[in-house]
Amino acid sequence: MSDWETITLDHENGVATLTVDRPDRLNALNVDTLEALDEALDEAEAEGAGALVLTGAGDDAFVAGADISYMQDLSTPEAQAYAELGHRVADKIEQFPAPAIAAINGYAFGGGCELALACDLRVASEDAVIGQTEIDLGIIPGWGGSQRLPRLVGDEIARRLIFFGERIDAQDAHEHGLVGEVVAGDQIDDHVAELAADLAAKPTYALAAAKEALNQAHETSQEAGLRYERRLWSGLFGTHDQREGMQAFLEDRAPDFE
Ligand code: COA
């Protein structure tokens, strides 16, 4: 079991919960925290997590962004290394072989918003505030926001959010399609835990294949994506869960997935 100062990883019933635990800095991501997150994602995958939850410690923040005190004096090569580390973590979440849910329990700015964008689903507490705020620091989103945000909310809204650096509340984020759901602050942990447990109980390979196919929808031409879907779909035949799921349906009973 690894020993990280600012990341905790809990496993329960097939769900891995990763918590950024730096509340005195509103969970801002310095290099150590990002590196720990990178390792923790590998560990969650090695443990065979059937769903991943990403959240922030304390009542105020999901993640208030990249660490501004660290960034202030970076040279271009240092900034490039920091961007690459942030991208590696976001890509790892996006390619994690099980669905990832961001439980946005407070401020999600800059890099915090970008980590949430890399997740499959986003649930926000009603007092969450979200934004790609980098412009007012004299920079732009550097951990994937300029690419993932327009794919999620559309080009016009993404341009508005990034150009103005606007900080929007959970309700507006929901209207823009930036979060899928808004729940009361005292219910977000339980609600997300329930969603994650439901996902972890689904057929593992089918869920991983569904995520891979959906990810391809943003990456490739429709023709290539359709070809890929056919391959993923047929590859599931012969798995325990395919045989069991179909047999259970035909016998009118609940399936017993692996
Ligand atoms: N990087 C480094 N430190 C940060 C931080 C960040 N992204 N966000 C917050 N902090 C630190 C603050 O400097 C402060 O430290 P201090 O106690 O030593 O002064 C501490 O966390 C608490 O933040 P504070 O600003 O005092 O809390 P607040 O409730 O008044 O405001 C925010 C909260 C989130 C609105 C405000 O901190 C903020 O705007 N943060 C920056 C958000 C941002 O632009 N992120 C994108 C970075 S790419």
Side-chain angles (χ1 to χ4, degrees):
M1 185 67 192
S2 309
D3 179 22
W4 304 295
E5 268 181 32
T6 53
I7 294 291
T8 60
L9 170 59
D10 295 309
H11 295 279
E12 207 178 317
N13 301 326
V15 176
T17 301
L18 279 167
T19 306
V20 181
D21 189 5
R22 226 188 148 211
D24 58 323
R25 282 285 175 277
L26 299 178
N27 304 323
L29 296 167
N30 59 3
V31 171
D32 286 351
T33 308
L34 266 182
E35 283 175 344
L37 199 47
D38 191 34
E39 286 177 24
L41 283 161
D42 289 343
E43 193 166 311
E45 183 174 344
E47 295 281 338
L52 182 73
V53 172
L54 182 63
T55 193
D59 296 328
D60 298 324
F62 171 69
V63 168
D67 192 308
I68 300 168
S69 3
Y70 170 71
M71 287 191 292
Q72 186 185 9
D73 294 321
L74 292 185
S75 63
T76 289
E78 289 164 340
Q80 170 120 16
Y82 195 37
E84 273 162 16
L85 178 57
H87 272 254
R88 189 161 79 229
V89 169
D91 289 352
K92 215 171 253 189
I93 294 169
E94 192 169 68
Q95 284 153 26
F96 195 83
I101 308 176
I104 306 174
N105 56 329
Y107 301 121
F109 295 139
C113 183
E114 289 168 301
L115 286 195
L117 289 172
C119 291
D120 297 272
L121 305 173
R122 283 150 292 279
V123 177
S125 67
E126 57 195 1
D127 44 5
V129 188
I130 304 173
Q132 292 294 164
T133 53
E134 292 89 345
I135 202 79
D136 291 321
L137 298 169
I139 56 173
I140 65 168
W143 296 348
S146 68
Q147 305 303 303
R148 292 192 177 98
L149 188 62
R151 285 173 164 85
L152 189 64
V153 302
D155 199 65
E156 170 84 13
I157 301 289
R159 279 170 203 264
R160 282 171 179 265
L161 289 171
I162 290 171
F163 290 170
F164 290 102
E166 214 184 325
R167 299 171 179 221
I168 59 173
D169 64 25
Q171 208 47 56
D172 283 350
H174 186 242
E175 274 163 31
H176 291 326
L178 176 42
V179 302
E181 236 186 317
V182 181
V183 298
D186 59 358
Q187 284 167 25
I188 186 168
D189 290 344
D190 287 349
H191 181 67
V192 169
E194 235 170 78
L195 287 179
D198 284 354
L199 287 168
K202 298 278 183 204
T204 315
Y205 292 123
L207 211 47
K211 175 166 175 168
E212 219 175 312
L214 286 158
N215 283 352
Q216 280 301 309
H218 301 298
E219 294 291 330
T220 186
S221 69
Q222 178 158 312
E223 195 194 341
L226 291 172
R227 221 173 21 245
Y228 193 53
E229 182 194 78
R230 288 198 291 278
R231 281 226 310 276
L232 286 169
W233 186 78
S234 18
L236 291 168
F237 283 77
T239 60
H240 166 90
D241 289 346
Q242 176 268 320
R243 295 287 194 252
E244 169 61 12
M246 294 189 183
Q247 196 173 340
F249 174 81
L250 295 170
E251 291 172 1
D252 200 18
R253 60 170 173 81
D256 180 16
F257 292 127
E258 231 166 30

